[in-house]
Amino acid sequence: MEKIKDYIKQNQDRFLKELFEFIRIPSISAMEEHNGDMLKTAEFIKGSLLQAGADKVEIMKTKGHPVVYGEKLIDASLPTVLVYGHYDVQPVEPLDLWTSPPFEPEVRDGKIYARGADDDKGQLFMHVKAFEFMNETNSLPCNVKFMIEGEEEVGSPSLKEFCKENKDLLKADVILISDTTMISLDIPSITTGLRGLSYLEVEVTGPNRDLHSGLYGGAVANPINVLSEMISSLTDENNRITIPGFYDDVIEVSKEERAEMAKAPFNLEEYQTAIDIKSVAGEAGYSTSERTGIRPCLDVCGIWGGYTGEGAKTVLPSRAYAKISMRLVPNQESPKVDELFENYFKSLAPEGVKVKVTSLHGGQGYVSPIDTVAYQAASKAVEETLGKKPVPFRSGGSIPIVSDFEEVLGIKSILLGFGLESDAIHSPNENYPLDNFYKGIETIPYFYKYFVELK
Ligand code: BES
Ligand code: MN
Ligand code: MN
């Protein structure tokens, strides 16, 4: 296994070249015009897995973008690791804020800059290359399956069904995922929690057409003014969500566990400086790590309506819209939260407007226990390559399909992410440090080794 370091050294340029080829295909799942690129990307992964030593790879149709399934089964009596990742990426707008074009990957200051550099092409590709190493050196210690989807960034609308239809094919002992962050390579950590999500769009309609804001202003409810007020009523002065019943299913984390979690290093000063803010904000009574790790929240992700073009147009708009996300904690159910939201939101509207609420996507949170063979194997693997025992920590992000994996397939997931918060995923100038990419490749074979040994 010591060979992995040399293998990476000898092949690092080729790995990067191949990753760049993967990144160059603009696989934006949210945009229909990229449907052809989704197929091309699936083909690319198929080729990479075959080249890396998979015995069988199939591009499997779904109602949406295809799933790439690959496997190498060496011995039915050995454990099976199922690797999950996603080949789709987020849209790239606003384009003018990118220093280099999003689909022309470039290395600057030791980091790969491109859409998907981290989320999730860079992280997923680490698994392909670790798999290649184990095959090339005859050190693959167990069976491996790959399930790579193309719809994670749009809420995985087809994957639950896919899992139901392919339970046997997907049989495994653990699901291994690199699609989360680490505190840093110096303070290695393993993600043990993901938040759930309820994401909705709201529409407030006032008059049947845009009105002259002088002729009608002051006499007719303005949908944008109304929407703003409704939104500000959703949270109180302590930044608690005011929707009745919202907190009913929230599991309060015990004092002891909070004390344990507080041991994960966190530097508020650096956190603020990195995103150029003078002060943080959130639910009263909780630290920043707790606000993202163990508490739900409500945020407006977008808001529009009226005139937003150049110069002035004195108009009282007919409609106003917003996209609102609620990050949930594990025991909260997204359909129930959607309903609570809709009832309360409608109750906030004055008579002069109509309100429409549409659920866009949702999903459950996830807590991954640390007393499992998979966690112990991940911990030992990280300690082996980064020199320190990783700390468990709960992330604020969501991968809703992870709880479906447990429900449908009965398999727990291990979140062995190598991203950093500073990687700017979903933002302009997304990046992924080369060190993280190569350390990830180095760590993964150790996970396999320890998982099989401890099992
Ligand atoms: N990889 C992220 C999720 C993530 C990132 C979790 C960092 C923890 C740490 C994933 O691709 C993502 O963006 N998920 C979406 C889910 C949504 C589109 C259903 C999210 O969290 O907004
Ligand atoms: Mn991701
Ligand atoms: Mn993402």
Side-chain angles (χ1 to χ4, degrees):
M1 195 64 80
E2 305 70 47
K3 285 191 215 147
I4 179 71
K5 270 202 162 106
D6 293 332
Y7 191 80
I8 293 171
K9 230 180 235 149
Q10 284 152 18
N11 294 284
Q12 55 182 7
D13 294 342
R14 176 175 59 87
F15 289 175
L16 206 58
K17 215 181 107 219
E18 292 172 0
L19 172 62
F20 280 18
E21 213 183 303
F22 185 19
I23 288 175
R24 279 194 196 100
I25 317 172
S27 48
I28 304 172
S29 49
M31 301 169 83
E32 242 180 87
E33 60 185 276
H34 288 287
N35 284 359
D37 293 315
M38 302 310 289
L39 280 179
K40 267 190 216 160
T41 316
E43 291 287 354
F44 177 89
I45 298 166
K46 179 178 175 176
S48 302
L49 286 173
L50 286 171
Q51 178 266 326
D55 290 334
K56 183 180 115 184
V57 184
E58 266 181 63
I59 295 180
M60 296 175 74
K61 286 213 171 78
T62 70
K63 280 203 194 83
H65 303 305
V67 172
V68 184
Y69 172 82
E71 63 179 30
K72 180 159 181 120
L73 307 179
I74 55 172
D75 183 343
S77 67
L78 288 169
T80 303
V81 172
L82 172 59
V83 176
Y84 163 82
H86 62 94
Y87 66 83
D88 63 323
V89 298
Q90 286 271 330
V92 294
E93 289 74 23
L95 254 179
D96 53 311
L97 294 184
W98 287 79
T99 302
S100 50
F103 295 110
E104 290 172 32
E106 190 174 290
V107 175
R108 296 195 299 274
D109 312 323
K111 297 171 186 173
I112 307 160
Y113 281 86
R115 173 60 83 233
D118 162 335
D119 186 12
D120 184 36
K121 287 176 171 170
Q123 295 215 56
L124 163 60
F125 208 60
M126 301 181 319
H127 287 271
V128 181
K129 293 299 113 180
F131 177 61
E132 176 194 296
F133 161 76
M134 291 185 285
N135 287 323
E136 286 292 315
T137 54
N138 272 316
S139 58
L140 184 69
C142 61
N143 305 304
V144 190
K145 297 177 176 177
F146 287 87
M147 169 174 51
I148 315 299
E149 74 156 316
E151 299 187 310
E152 196 278 340
E153 300 292 10
V154 290
S156 305
S158 314
L159 200 60
K160 193 173 182 181
E161 199 53 39
F162 179 87
C163 289
K164 283 185 185 161
E165 283 165 10
N166 294 286
K167 272 190 197 166
D168 274 341
L169 185 70
L170 299 171
K171 262 199 183 124
D173 296 275
V174 68
I175 299 177
L176 179 61
I177 305 175
S178 294
D179 193 24
T180 52
T181 57
M182 237 187 210
I183 299 173
S184 71
L185 290 182
D186 294 327
I187 309 170
S189 60
I190 293 175
T191 300
T192 52
L194 293 166
R195 286 197 287 188
L197 181 66
S198 270
Y199 196 111
L200 310 111
E201 184 167 319
V202 299
E203 183 185 313
V204 175
T205 307
N208 60 3
R209 59 180 168 86
D210 288 0
L211 303 174
H212 188 288
S213 70
L215 289 176
Y216 290 92
V220 173
N222 176 325
I224 298 183
N225 295 27
V226 168
L227 175 60
S228 317
E229 250 178 73
M230 289 167 75
I231 288 171
S232 63
S233 311
L234 292 172
T235 46
D236 68 13
E237 68 281 7
N238 291 317
N239 278 310
R240 278 182 64 92
I241 295 156
T242 52
I243 301 169
F246 182 87
Y247 289 97
D248 286 1
D249 296 329
V250 171
I251 299 174
E252 302 289 332
V253 177
S254 71
K255 267 200 183 126
E256 293 72 33
E257 208 178 338
R258 284 175 71 183
E260 199 52 40
M261 286 174 178
K263 288 182 187 159
F266 177 78
N267 186 320
L268 186 62
E269 205 60 35
E270 281 175 19
Y271 182 87
Q272 293 179 165
T273 311
I275 51 174
D276 201 14
I277 56 169
K278 285 218 175 73
S279 172
V280 292
E283 186 181 355
Y286 294 92
S287 70
T288 295
S289 308
E290 289 174 335
R291 285 168 178 169
T292 59
I294 59 169
R295 300 300 295 170
C297 64
L298 183 151
D299 280 285
V300 180
C301 294
I303 185 163
W304 69 103
Y307 183 69
T308 54
E310 198 183 331
K313 182 184 179 205
T314 47
V315 73
L316 194 157
S318 164
R319 282 172 195 206
Y321 306 81
K323 293 193 192 270
I324 297 178
S325 90
M326 287 170 279
R327 295 283 166 171
L328 311 177
V329 291
N331 192 46
Q332 288 181 291
E333 304 265 347
S334 147
K336 184 174 166 190
V337 170
D338 285 356
E339 196 184 319
L340 293 174
F341 176 93
E342 180 165 357
N343 290 337
Y344 182 58
F345 196 68
K346 286 186 166 161
S347 80
L348 293 172
E351 268 189 14
V353 301
K354 294 190 229 33
V355 175
K356 193 170 132 195
V357 175
T358 314
S359 300
L360 294 182
H361 47 235
Q364 283 285 119
Y366 186 72
V367 177
S368 127
I370 64 171
D371 59 353
T372 60
V373 165
Y375 185 87
Q376 296 311 320
S379 177
K380 283 187 76 168
V382 168
E383 188 170 359
E384 179 86 44
T385 57
L386 298 181
K388 283 176 206 149
K389 192 173 167 179
V391 291
F393 90 110
R394 294 212 201 168
S395 171
S398 309
I399 312 176
I401 198 67
V402 172
S403 70
D404 295 330
F405 289 155
E406 183 159 26
E407 186 196 316
V408 177
L409 302 172
I411 314 173
K412 287 202 171 0
S413 295
I414 187 85
L415 300 159
L416 187 58
F418 284 85
L420 300 176
E421 264 177 17
S422 55
D423 291 352
I425 62 172
H426 297 200
S427 299
N429 301 317
E430 175 177 350
N431 63 87
Y432 193 38
L434 289 170
D435 285 350
N436 293 53
F437 176 62
Y438 294 123
K439 277 293 171 191
I441 299 173
E442 190 183 328
T443 306
I444 291 163
Y446 285 104
F447 171 83
Y448 282 76
K449 173 176 182 263
Y450 292 130
F451 184 69
V452 175
E453 274 176 25
L454 294 169
K455 188 95 184 136

